[in-house]
Amino acid sequence: MKKQEQEKQTLFSVIRSVLAALFGVQSDKNRYHDFKQPTAWPFIITGIIMIVMMVGAIIAVAQWATASQ
């Protein structure tokens, strides 16, 4: 195995991979590297947190835009 495939992913690389996947711009190389990781839990947990944050941001913007003056 290559050294890059043996290394565990850092928090930053997991966040970057999840964001790329959420927006549909994940490269095949990065996706291949992600699927070579021993566990999917960091991606699942980070994905749930990112989705909750995105929904919260959409709700906040919608409330701000529709707030009465």
Side-chain angles (χ1 to χ4, degrees):
M1 288 182 97
K2 293 180 183 176
K3 183 180 178 184
Q4 183 182 15
E5 291 175 357
Q6 291 175 345
E7 294 177 2
K8 286 187 134 186
Q9 292 206 317
T10 63
L11 178 61
F12 177 73
S13 65
V14 171
I15 291 171
R16 185 179 46 151
S17 291
V18 169
L19 284 173
L22 284 173
F23 290 104
V25 295
Q26 182 76 304
S27 69
D28 287 335
K29 177 184 167 190
N30 289 340
R31 186 172 41 250
Y32 178 77
H33 183 261
D34 293 345
F35 277 98
K36 286 290 187 181
Q37 299 306 309
T39 181
W41 284 111
F43 298 99
I44 294 169
I45 293 168
T46 305
I48 291 170
I49 292 169
M50 292 289 184
I51 289 172
V52 168
M53 289 173 55
M54 188 167 57
V55 169
I58 291 170
I59 290 171
V61 169
Q63 287 181 347
W64 173 77
T66 61
S68 60
Q69 300 177 22

